[in-house]
Amino acid sequence: VQETEIAKGRRDWAISEREKIVQERDSVRNLCDEIRKERDTATSKLLAAIRDKDEAFKEIEQLTERLEAQSVLKDNMNNNVNSGDLSNNSVESSFRSSHYSAFSMESIYDMDALQQFRLAVVEIDTTLLQNNVSEWGLEISDDLEDYTENNTSSHNIGPYVLTVEHDSMFAGQLVPNDIICQINNIDCTTFSKRKIYKAIKSSLPICTLTIRRPEKRLLPVQISFLNGNKNHGLHLEMGIYISKIDNGSLGAKDGRLKHGDRIISINGKPTTHVKNLSETNTIIND
């Protein structure tokens, strides 16, 4: 009987000890869960703080760029305050004298007389522009060597448009080789490409650009037949060419068609056998 009582006592003691161990285990488990929750909360707050810091840095950078652009425009405005806003005639004359100096070439033709420019003013809604300039769909160059190579001209011309993507908000308003003369009536012919982008971005809500658009003139060419040799080597074709694109039209807004482009086919129909323009318009409207 005594041994039975002793065994029962030991059993009860073991059970109570086991219950204590279970309680301690549960307590440790709960403590670990709380520590994990605190860790997750701290991690979330840290990530949020990092994101806020990055956004703050971006905002500071954008504000700094706008302040720099505004400062540049203000300095130019102060320099030009005595002369006032440039009129179309003054823009033509000053631009011609300062950026289109005469050049000599061994030719019977005066290339300056064969090159002409049309002055135009376009307005850009800058509230729709992306912060990243690379997403504008507009590429501007201030490299004179690029213009010389692409246009066989050695004039100093200042910043000009290299490319405009057809789905860009600049499409239909700016075209390649447009020369940017003024931004909001401020002379920008000496601006770098970076300053041009900044000035456009900081002009809220509308940026007014004064541009010079190159136009072609007829170039007389005379080929002399020497010693009775009349083999000129020229292969000519008849065709349909774009003579003009109306401003604000669908073709102008698309931006891919240009003055002088030859139309090879319309809606899959070749234009080689088209006899007149009315027949061409019929094909377009089909």
Side-chain angles (χ1 to χ4, degrees):
V1 176
Q2 291 180 353
E3 291 179 357
T4 301
E5 293 296 332
I6 292 172
K8 288 181 179 180
R10 290 178 177 176
R11 183 197 64 185
D12 295 339
W13 175 83
I15 291 173
S16 63
E17 290 296 323
R18 184 178 68 87
E19 290 177 352
K20 290 179 181 179
I21 293 173
V22 171
Q23 290 177 356
E24 291 179 356
R25 182 197 64 185
D26 294 339
S27 177
V28 171
R29 182 178 297 172
N30 293 333
L31 181 60
C32 290
D33 291 340
E34 292 178 359
I35 293 175
R36 289 193 190 96
K37 290 180 181 179
E38 292 179 357
R39 181 201 62 186
D40 295 340
T41 302
T43 302
S44 300
K45 290 182 178 180
L46 177 61
L47 293 176
I50 293 175
R51 286 194 297 268
D52 293 341
K53 181 195 70 173
D54 294 339
E55 292 178 358
F57 281 156
K58 289 181 181 179
E59 291 180 359
I60 291 173
E61 184 178 355
Q62 293 173 5
L63 290 174
T64 302
E65 290 180 353
R66 289 189 177 182
L67 287 175
E68 290 178 358
Q70 291 288 356
S71 177
V72 171
L73 292 177
K74 183 178 179 181
D75 292 340
N76 282 275
M77 185 178 295
N78 291 334
N79 293 333
N80 297 331
V81 67
N82 294 328
S83 59
D85 294 339
L86 293 176
S87 62
N88 288 353
N89 292 334
S90 64
V91 172
E92 290 285 346
S93 60
S94 63
F95 202 83
R96 185 183 300 111
S97 61
S98 60
H99 294 278
Y100 288 89
S101 57
F103 68 102
S104 60
M105 61 179 298
E106 295 179 359
S107 172
I108 61 173
Y109 305 114
D110 182 2
M111 299 306 294
D112 282 337
L114 296 174
Q115 181 72 40
Q116 66 179 358
F117 297 85
R118 176 170 59 87
L119 198 66
V121 177
V122 298
E123 292 185 346
I124 306 297
D125 184 1
T126 54
T127 59
L128 303 177
L129 291 177
Q130 301 289 335
N131 291 328
N132 190 353
V133 173
S134 61
E135 298 178 359
W136 288 8
L138 172 69
E139 185 176 357
I140 297 175
S141 175
D142 55 2
D143 189 348
L144 300 182
E145 294 181 359
D146 283 349
Y147 194 91
T148 301
E149 180 179 353
N150 296 333
N151 297 273
T152 63
S153 171
S154 61
H155 296 301
N156 295 328
I157 47 84
Y160 65 95
V161 177
L162 274 178
T163 58
V164 180
E165 296 182 6
H166 72 277
D167 56 350
S168 165
M169 64 176 301
F170 294 93
Q173 300 194 72
L174 296 178
V175 297
N177 294 327
D178 278 351
I179 303 166
I180 303 176
C181 305
Q182 294 180 347
I183 299 178
N184 297 329
N185 294 326
I186 303 300
D187 183 15
C188 64
T189 53
T190 59
F191 280 17
S192 65
K193 176 170 63 176
R194 185 168 177 266
K195 286 185 178 180
I196 292 290
Y197 286 135
K198 284 186 177 181
I200 294 175
K201 185 191 298 185
S202 63
S203 301
L204 295 174
I206 298 295
C207 179
T208 303
L209 301 178
T210 304
I211 61 172
R212 289 171 61 91
R213 183 160 295 167
E215 294 183 344
K216 296 180 180 179
R217 286 187 178 179
L218 298 178
L219 174 64
V221 176
Q222 180 178 352
I223 299 177
S224 300
F225 294 141
L226 301 177
N227 300 325
N229 182 10
K230 296 186 177 182
N231 182 17
H232 50 69
L234 302 178
H235 299 269
L236 307 179
E237 293 182 359
M238 300 296 292
I240 299 175
Y241 297 85
I242 298 176
S243 62
K244 181 182 178 182
I245 300 178
D246 293 334
N247 293 331
S249 64
L250 295 177
K253 291 179 179 179
D254 183 272
R256 287 176 290 182
L257 295 176
K258 298 292 183 295
H259 173 269
D261 285 351
R262 181 183 179 185
I263 306 299
I264 303 298
S265 66
I266 302 174
N267 296 330
K269 299 179 180 179
T271 60
T272 53
H273 302 296
V274 174
K275 298 179 180 179
N276 50 54
L277 293 179
S278 61
E279 187 176 346
T280 303
N281 292 328
T282 301
I283 298 176
I284 293 177
N285 296 326
D286 282 346

